[in-house]
């Protein structure tokens, strides 16, 4: 009886460890128009932006960064057919942080527009990559479209 209860406890602990390891989110890039300052998170609202839409880019790693630097780069094209690099930003990070956000203020006030953030002022496909050293961490494809107004 004691042996059976020890086995049951062991199984519960093993299952708990297994499921808790599955709850860690995979590294990914989130793009959106809405910023929640209280949570310091952007809502992944869409992958399609009008050129005048506000745009925030956020890289989420799931656990503390286990690398010293992160580079976020913007390219023309798609992930399968990546074109020339438009621009990149590289910065130091540490293990106390698991999220990195790119946002800025527009020249007209408010958040940067999609055209300003991507530095691409015509409709088209854009690829955003997060890397560290030679390791690719995450990729996000977005589409810039003409303003509907």
């Amino acid at each position: 009886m004691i042996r059976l209860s020890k086995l049951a406890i062991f199984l519960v602990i093993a299952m708990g460890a297994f499921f808790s390891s599955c709850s860690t989110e995979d590294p990914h890039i989130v793009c959106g128009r809405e910023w929640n300052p209280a949570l310091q998170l952007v809502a992944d609202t869409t992958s399609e932006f009008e050129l005048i839409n506000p745009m925030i880019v956020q890289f989420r790693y799931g656990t503390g960064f286990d690398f010293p630097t992160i580079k976020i780069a913007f390219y023309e094209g798609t992930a399968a057919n990546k074109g020339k690099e438009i621009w990149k930003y590289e910065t130091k990070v540490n293990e106390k942080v698991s999220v990195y956000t790119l946002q800025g203020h527009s020249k007209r006030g408010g958040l940067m527009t999609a055209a300003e953030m991507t530095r691409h002022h015509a409709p088209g496909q854009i690829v955003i990559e997060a890397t560290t050293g030679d390791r690719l961490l995450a990729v996000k494809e977005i589409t810039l479209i003409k303003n509907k107004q």
Side-chain angles (χ1 to χ4, degrees):
M1 185 76 159
I2 294 174
R3 184 176 231 175
L4 185 60
S5 64
K6 285 183 181 180
L7 180 61
I9 291 171
F10 174 75
L11 288 174
V12 169
I13 291 172
M15 287 175 49
F18 173 74
F19 287 119
S20 68
S21 68
C22 294
S23 66
T24 303
E25 67 181 320
D26 289 331
H28 62 285
I29 297 172
V30 178
C31 297
R33 298 180 188 105
E34 298 175 22
W35 174 249
N36 184 332
L39 298 175
Q40 296 289 305
L41 293 175
V42 62
D44 192 8
T45 53
T46 186
S47 291
E48 184 176 276
F49 292 86
E50 290 182 34
L51 292 168
I52 61 168
N53 287 148
M55 183 176 173
I56 304 162
V57 176
Q58 190 171 66
F59 171 68
R60 297 181 188 164
Y61 194 60
T63 61
F65 293 148
D66 55 0
F67 42 85
T69 61
I70 184 173
K71 179 176 91 171
I72 298 179
F74 293 75
Y75 298 91
E76 291 179 349
T78 63
N81 190 14
K82 189 168 60 172
K84 71 174 189 161
E85 183 178 280
I86 301 169
W87 75 283
K88 66 182 174 198
Y89 183 76
E90 189 166 0
T91 188
K92 291 181 180 181
V93 294
N94 63 49
E95 67 279 349
K96 295 178 184 176
V97 181
S98 63
V99 175
Y100 188 79
T101 306
L102 279 177
Q103 69 176 349
H105 295 286
S106 176
K107 295 175 185 174
R108 298 179 199 140
L111 292 172
M112 277 186 164
T113 65
E116 290 171 326
M117 176 61 75
T118 61
R119 297 183 187 169
H120 196 268
H121 301 281
Q125 297 289 115
I126 302 291
V127 176
I128 305 168
E129 284 186 350
T131 58
T132 182
D134 293 335
R135 193 171 103 192
L136 178 64
L137 301 170
V139 176
K140 173 84 172 188
E141 291 182 27
I142 63 168
T143 303
L144 299 178
I145 60 172
K146 287 185 178 184
N147 306 329
K148 295 178 183 175
Q149 297 176 347

